[in-house]
Amino acid sequence: MLRNLLCIVVAVVATAICFPMTLVVALVTLDPGASVWVARRLWGPILIRTGGARVVVTGQENVDPKRPTIYVSNHQSTLDIPIHFATVPVNFRYVAKHQLKYVPLIGWYLWLCGHIFVNRGRRDKAIASLDEAARKIRAGTSVFLYPEGTRSDDGRVLPFKKGPFALALKSRVPVVPITIEGSGSVMPKNSWNIKPGPVHVKIGKPIDTTGFAENDREGLARAVRDVIIAQSLELGGKGGDPERVTAAAGVEGDSPTRNAS
């Protein structure tokens, strides 16, 4: 209980200090990338250490900061966000749910630093958001996505949304599959019951998108998801159903009746 309370207090204080700091950095330097540094070097590591996550990362040689790239990972915990900031050595931008735009401090940070919001409930706005993301990528910005659309309840890799792969095919940049394993045990979904433990992050080799047809979203999704599932099993995780590649429109996660929000 004391650790959980400490984690809550530290998370609130670190966010209250670090995010305004990023706003100042962004305004002074006029460089959104410089403001991402605060999340990578300060905010993320503080939350990781406080939660007792012992992070082991492999495959960082597959990250090229000079090349615009789409990074794609499975999603087990809220802790994934600070962990990925800290372990993927590039000033990427997250593609996030549009609801986060209205969260004080966090939403302001995401907006000012050039992160991309997607309104999944409105097809026209979702397409416009992906077009904006494609323009940023072609201009040299890397982005990070969680294609499951939600955190896994049991650690299995869920079916993927097709939108991220439409973006990759539109941008024609490499996709790097990333697997995180153990964060759901340290900080389970919808819980502050934090249990210190190991978290493994494995960064796979880039997948060239130029070999896929322009509309082959499912083929690219399968190629990326197969790597993430294989890496999950290598790390001692549960993997996922290789045949349930993509989720139906308007659905996120593993439930055919769950509406995306």
Side-chain angles (χ1 to χ4, degrees):
M1 183 179 295
L2 289 176
R3 174 176 286 277
N4 294 346
L5 180 60
L6 174 64
C7 289
I8 293 172
V9 171
V10 170
V12 171
V13 173
T15 301
I17 294 174
C18 289
F19 283 2
M21 186 186 302
T22 64
L23 304 184
V24 173
V25 171
L27 291 172
V28 171
T29 65
L30 300 179
D31 178 9
S35 61
V36 175
W37 182 93
V38 178
R40 286 182 54 215
R41 297 295 187 180
L42 296 177
W43 182 75
I46 288 171
L47 267 60
I48 293 168
R49 293 192 185 98
T50 304
R54 301 187 297 276
V55 179
V56 179
V57 57
T58 56
Q60 286 185 323
E61 69 275 7
N62 294 319
V63 174
D64 184 353
K66 297 179 181 179
R67 177 188 63 200
T69 302
I70 295 176
Y71 296 93
V72 169
S73 177
N74 63 314
H75 199 9
Q76 294 188 345
S77 170
T78 302
L79 197 60
D80 295 351
I81 294 171
I83 288 175
H84 284 133
F85 265 132
T87 58
V88 181
V90 62
N91 287 340
F92 60 77
R93 305 296 189 275
Y94 270 112
V95 177
K97 295 180 181 181
H98 79 286
Q99 292 96 327
L100 290 177
K101 183 187 297 186
Y102 307 105
V103 177
L105 293 179
I106 294 176
W108 306 338
Y109 160 78
L110 291 171
W111 174 75
L112 189 60
C113 296
H115 297 265
I116 300 158
F117 297 100
V118 175
N119 186 341
R120 297 176 187 156
R122 292 275 304 273
R123 178 176 172 80
D124 57 335
K125 289 186 177 293
I127 292 173
S129 298
L130 292 177
D131 287 341
E132 176 194 355
R135 287 193 295 271
K136 288 189 176 185
I137 293 168
R138 287 193 291 264
T141 299
S142 294
V143 301
F144 200 110
L145 294 146
Y146 295 114
E148 293 163 300
T150 187
R151 290 160 291 167
S152 174
D153 291 316
D154 62 1
R156 297 182 188 276
V157 181
L158 303 176
F160 284 178
K161 305 290 290 182
K162 293 182 181 179
F165 305 99
L167 172 62
L169 293 170
K170 183 187 292 283
S171 306
R172 290 300 184 185
V173 298
V175 176
V176 170
I178 297 176
T179 305
I180 190 164
E181 187 59 50
S183 59
S185 297
V186 174
M187 184 176 180
K189 181 177 179 179
N190 299 326
S191 172
W192 276 92
N193 184 22
I194 297 171
K195 301 175 182 178
V199 177
H200 292 269
V201 177
K202 186 175 179 65
I203 303 172
K205 295 182 181 299
I207 294 175
D208 184 4
T209 58
T210 60
F212 293 84
E214 186 177 352
N215 63 347
D216 191 11
R217 297 175 297 170
E218 183 156 348
L220 180 57
R222 180 182 294 276
V224 174
R225 190 170 180 271
D226 283 349
V227 173
I228 291 176
I229 288 174
Q231 292 181 161
S232 170
L233 294 172
E234 288 174 19
L235 297 172
K238 298 179 179 179
D241 185 347
E243 298 306 317
R244 298 193 63 194
V245 179
T246 56
V251 174
E252 66 178 18
D254 205 31
S255 170
T257 60
R258 183 184 299 165
N259 190 282
S261 59

